[in-house]
Amino acid sequence: MFGRAAGEQACPFCSGNEQMTPPEVDAIRAADTAPNQPGWRHRVVPNLYPATAHHEVITEGPVHAVQPAALDVALWRDALTLYWRRIAHIEAQPGVRCAYLFKNVGRRAGASIAHNHSQVLGLPMLPPRLELELANSRDRATCAHCDEITTAEGDGRVVVAGEHHVALCPRAPKLPFETWLLPRDHDADFLAHQHATDLAQVLHGLFGAIDRAFEDAPFNLFLHRIPGAAFHWHWELQPRTGNVAGLELGGDMYINSISGADAAARIRGDSR
């Protein structure tokens, strides 16, 4: 279901096509509208092909748009409310250690439906990447993410700056144009709903910068948070500007010739 741009297929995530999805389990909608009917701003349904027992799709915006930058800040502020709500709900289920939230934009990034949407699934364990990040954070005297924020402005690695959040390119990116969005304070609780409007503004600003820099390039966005741990939560965004091959897939080793500062300049749209 990725052919909506040609006008030949109905999009199951567009308003008016609610019968094409499983029944909704949550939504942000007008007060005088009924479930599984138009009138929603964001809508949550079970994934039709679940990877785990708890696997949901969050449709963002009733109007068909592929790039997240096409949605306004108010829509992203509402989307955050649903993210918090669905993560809390899933992590309250028996056997769930972590609710993992991610977003695929574009076919090359793994999206099978073009309409803006994210996914959240309940896992019985932490993903290995998060286990590694947690172990590394415990081995350090200071927080690596706080250190990135402290040095990013002087290094020219800031992409979008808000009062309480910042989007930046890390000093040692794994792949070209890797970007993080972090709370400026050492915040371990994504579900605390702190400074939501600022977070929505920085998130929207990052989406816009990525869209302008790469002309509708596909990308993946994922939330790194660890329930119950003193871990600095953050979003990671990876534009899919290249391909991974044998070294990356087989050895989990990466070659990247673009520095964090150069990547940030490209995303900001600097002339240099």
Side-chain angles (χ1 to χ4, degrees), residues 127-241:
R129 172 80 176 276
L130 291 185
E131 288 278 16
L132 179 61
E133 289 189 17
L134 180 60
N136 289 342
S137 70
R138 288 171 171 167
D139 289 340
R140 292 177 54 93
T142 60
C143 170
H145 301 99
C146 289
D147 291 345
E148 290 279 0
I149 295 170
T150 300
T151 59
E153 185 171 357
D155 293 346
R157 294 184 289 105
V158 173
V159 175
V160 181
E163 182 180 358
H164 301 286
H165 301 85
V166 61
L168 57 82
C169 291
R171 283 171 292 189
K174 183 170 65 173
L175 290 170
F177 307 108
E178 176 182 348
T179 310
W180 298 354
L181 192 164
L182 315 94
R184 291 184 181 274
D185 294 336
H186 184 80
D187 186 359
D189 188 3
F190 176 71
L191 303 185
H193 306 193
Q194 296 187 55
H195 311 301
T197 299
D198 186 76
L199 176 55
Q201 290 170 341
V202 175
L203 187 63
H204 183 260
L206 176 58
F207 289 148
I210 293 293
D211 190 28
R212 291 187 295 271
F214 301 109
E215 298 180 357
D216 298 334
F219 67 84
N220 300 102
L221 176 76
F222 29 92
L223 176 64
H224 279 193
R225 55 177 287 276
I226 300 176
F231 178 80
H232 196 143
W233 68 261
H234 59 283
W235 297 90
E236 296 190 12
L237 187 152
Q238 182 60 63
R240 302 297 289 272
T241 57

